[in-house]
């Protein structure tokens, strides 16, 4: 009988994207392992940060952060570079120490003034931004890597079950170089879920994927997390990605928590001008309130919640600016327009305005060559904030 040979190490050239499918018996083993489970991949836990501070040298990177990921919830940490998102993840994983505050897994303190549970004893999984697959190990062995407490046969069964869950069991004998970026991402997810962590941490998990692939892989990953009933904390700098994935979103800036809530909360009721600008493109007008009204270049805006003379920032979302050639609003002139497929980005100057404003309208809505137009604003796309709020 001819023996099956193991795939050569990927350093050898000429293998390209050759894929070796596993025998049907391996798929049967994977499905049997899943069938034996009675509670999914893991028992989801609550991960809570309480008054957390952190420093890199003299620079404070986290400032009194208190928030929690509830059991089975997908919590997205959102913010610009340097806002402290990844530092929070590293503290949760046990890679970074706390300067002040405490960290709880359910009701158990795992980090604090007198506590620091080692990473391997926390029951917390970490999925790296670049997937961090070992190129010299097969896909199966990559997934088995963290299952050191199990016997060889048990670890193989668990790894095959994890690969089956992400739709990659057929490629268990392949090596990472033979897989696409999306397939490598699914293998990395399988490896993170195989030990059944109480909480899964994901650091910018889709940043290395092209835009067309990102949407499908993100949807697949979310479905797997739901099916696995895992608590997940996902770091991203993309507001749309956070809204697509997160049950709740924690918005960070300069190491501080700006706002915590659902996507609807943060979009419709942003805490300040920073939050408003992070979730949508906006035009910002600085003015003062008089008689419960703020006068802006695009017309008067209700500001009855503010005292007369109060300095305010009025934010107007770009889709909320409506443009017509019929005289029925504030006169304006088109100075630039950019076709973006479904939409057009229009730049205008308005009478009395100190700087141009932008609007997004449906492509074809405004006649080609139109210059002199009128502008009105949809009230639902107007937000008013205290000037320094």
């Amino acid at each position: 009988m001819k023996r099956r040979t193991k795939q050569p190490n990927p350093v050898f050239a000429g293998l390209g994207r050759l894929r070796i499918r596993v025998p049907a018996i391996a798929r049967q083993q994977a499905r049997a392992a899943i069938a034996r489970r009675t509670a999914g991949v893991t028992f989801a836990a609550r991960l809570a940060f309480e008054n957390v501070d952190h420093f890199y040298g003299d620079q404070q990177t986290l400032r009194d952060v208190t928030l929690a990921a509830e059991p089975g919830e997908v919590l997205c940490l959102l913010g610009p570079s340097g806002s402290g998102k990844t530092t929070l993840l590293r503290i949760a994983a046990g890679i970074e120490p706390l300067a002040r505050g405490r960290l709880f897994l359910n009701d158990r303190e795992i980090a604090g003034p007198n506590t620091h549970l080692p990473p391997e004893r926390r029951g917390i999984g970490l999925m790296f931004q670049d997937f961090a697959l070992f190129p010299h190990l097969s896909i199966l062995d990559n997934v088995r890597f963290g299952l050191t407490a199990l016997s060889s046969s048990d670890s193989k069964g668990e790894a095959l079950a994890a690969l089956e869950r992400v739709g990659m069991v057929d490629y268990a004998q392949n090596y990472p170089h033979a897989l696409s970026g999306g397939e490598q991402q699914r293998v990395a997810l399988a490896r993170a879920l195989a030990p059944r962590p109480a909480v899964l941490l994901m650091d910018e998990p889709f940043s290395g994927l092209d835009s067309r692939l990102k949407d499908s892989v993100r949807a697949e990953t979310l479905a797997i997390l739901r099916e696995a009933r895992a608590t997940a904390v996902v770091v991203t700098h993309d507001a749309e990605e956070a809204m697509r994935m997160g049950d709740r979103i924690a918005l960070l800036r300069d190491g501080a928590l700006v706002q915590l809530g659902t996507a609807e909360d943060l979009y419709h009721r942003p805490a300040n001008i920073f939050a408003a600008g992070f979730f949508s493109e906006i035009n910002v007008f600085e003015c003062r309130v008089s008689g419960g009204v703020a006068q802006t270049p695009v017309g008067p805006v209700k500001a009855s919640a503010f005292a007369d003379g109060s300095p305010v920032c009025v934010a107007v979302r770009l889709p909320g600016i409506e443009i017509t050639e019929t005289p029925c609003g504030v006169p304006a002139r088109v100075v630039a327009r950019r076709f973006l497929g479904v939409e057009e980005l229009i730049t205008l100057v308005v009478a009395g305005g100190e700087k141009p404003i932008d609007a997004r309208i449906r492509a074809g809505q405004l006649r080609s060559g139109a210059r002199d137009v009128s502008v009105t604003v949809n009230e639902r796309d107007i937000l008013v904030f205290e000037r320094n709020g």
Side-chain angles (χ1 to χ4, degrees):
M1 178 182 292
K2 186 175 180 180
R3 296 182 63 187
R4 184 182 297 273
T5 57
K6 187 176 180 181
Q7 180 176 346
N9 189 295
V11 298
F12 292 101
L15 290 179
R17 287 174 53 79
L18 174 67
R19 297 181 180 181
I20 300 175
R21 292 184 176 271
V22 299
I25 186 65
R27 292 194 294 277
Q28 292 171 5
Q29 290 173 344
R31 286 161 191 153
I34 291 176
R36 288 194 299 270
R37 295 179 175 186
T38 58
V41 169
T42 185
F43 293 98
R46 183 177 191 266
L47 179 68
F49 301 85
E50 184 180 281
N51 305 119
V52 169
D53 286 349
H54 181 270
F55 292 83
Y56 282 122
D58 295 333
Q59 182 180 0
Q60 187 168 7
T61 49
L62 291 174
R63 306 169 191 276
D64 197 28
V65 174
T66 296
L67 61 90
E70 300 299 335
E73 177 182 51
V74 177
L75 174 68
C76 284
L77 303 181
L78 174 68
S81 297
S83 59
K85 309 181 299 295
T86 296
T87 301
L88 270 177
L89 229 61
R90 290 170 64 85
I91 287 172
I95 301 171
E96 288 288 337
L98 291 168
R100 187 178 73 90
R102 298 190 295 174
L103 179 67
F104 294 89
L105 192 65
N106 289 329
D107 296 325
R108 181 188 185 192
E109 184 176 314
I110 59 175
N114 302 307
T115 309
H116 183 79
L117 200 67
E120 65 274 12
R121 293 177 54 196
R122 294 190 176 195
I124 294 176
L126 178 59
M127 183 173 164
F128 295 97
Q129 183 175 351
D130 60 357
F131 312 147
L133 299 178
F134 299 109
H136 64 290
L137 296 180
S138 69
I139 298 307
L140 178 61
D141 287 338
N142 262 281
V143 178
R144 292 175 67 186
F145 187 79
L147 303 175
T148 54
L150 301 180
S151 68
S152 177
S153 60
D154 285 347
S155 67
K156 181 178 179 181
E158 289 294 314
L160 287 170
L163 287 170
E164 172 75 12
R165 194 177 298 279
V166 301
M168 291 298 294
V169 72
D170 283 346
Y171 306 117
Q173 299 305 321
N174 281 98
Y175 285 75
H177 80 283
L179 304 183
S180 68
E183 289 165 341
Q184 289 187 32
Q185 197 271 352
R186 281 190 275 168
V187 171
L189 180 60
R191 184 177 63 182
L193 288 173
R196 309 191 198 187
V199 176
L200 178 60
L201 310 175
M202 307 174 74
D203 188 9
E204 300 270 12
F206 313 108
S207 62
L209 304 178
D210 65 65
S211 57
R212 291 185 179 181
L213 184 61
K214 188 177 292 187
D215 287 349
S216 62
V217 173
R218 186 166 47 206
E220 290 172 358
T221 300
L222 185 58
I224 292 164
L225 291 174
R226 297 297 188 207
E227 191 270 340
R229 293 180 292 218
T231 304
V233 181
V234 182
V235 163
T236 180
H237 63 273
D238 184 332
E240 182 177 336
E241 182 166 277
M243 289 191 284
R244 282 174 179 256
M245 288 203 71
D247 296 305
R248 289 187 304 150
I249 300 168
L251 179 62
L252 299 166
R253 183 187 190 190
D254 297 332
L257 180 64
V258 174
Q259 191 170 359
L260 175 66
T262 65
E264 290 84 356
D265 289 336
L266 272 68
Y267 183 85
H268 292 298
R269 295 171 290 278
N272 54 30
I273 196 76
F274 169 78
F278 214 89
F279 282 88
S280 55
E281 294 176 290
I282 55 176
N283 294 290
V284 179
F285 307 106
E286 295 185 353
C287 44
R288 290 185 179 273
V289 176
S290 177
V293 173
Q295 293 292 341
T296 76
V298 292
V301 170
K302 293 179 182 177
S304 54
F306 299 87
D308 275 8
S310 298
V312 295
C313 285
V314 177
V316 179
R317 296 190 180 102
L318 269 58
I321 295 180
E322 299 169 0
I323 305 172
T324 177
E325 291 187 76
T326 304
C328 62
V330 177
R333 174 163 291 180
V334 176
V335 294
R337 60 194 300 176
R338 179 70 64 180
F339 177 74
L340 301 175
V342 176
E343 296 179 317
E344 279 188 277
L345 178 63
I346 309 292
T347 302
L348 313 109
V349 291
V350 296
E354 296 181 357
K355 59 182 181 179
I357 64 171
D358 291 324
R360 280 185 180 267
I361 64 172
R362 189 165 186 84
Q365 178 181 324
L366 186 65
R367 178 179 59 87
S368 177
R371 289 200 67 201
D372 293 318
V373 296
S374 294
V375 168
T376 56
V377 179
N378 192 319
E379 189 172 334
R380 69 183 181 187
D381 289 305
I382 300 173
L383 300 162
V384 184
F385 302 97
E386 186 179 352
R387 180 85 56 89
N388 295 320

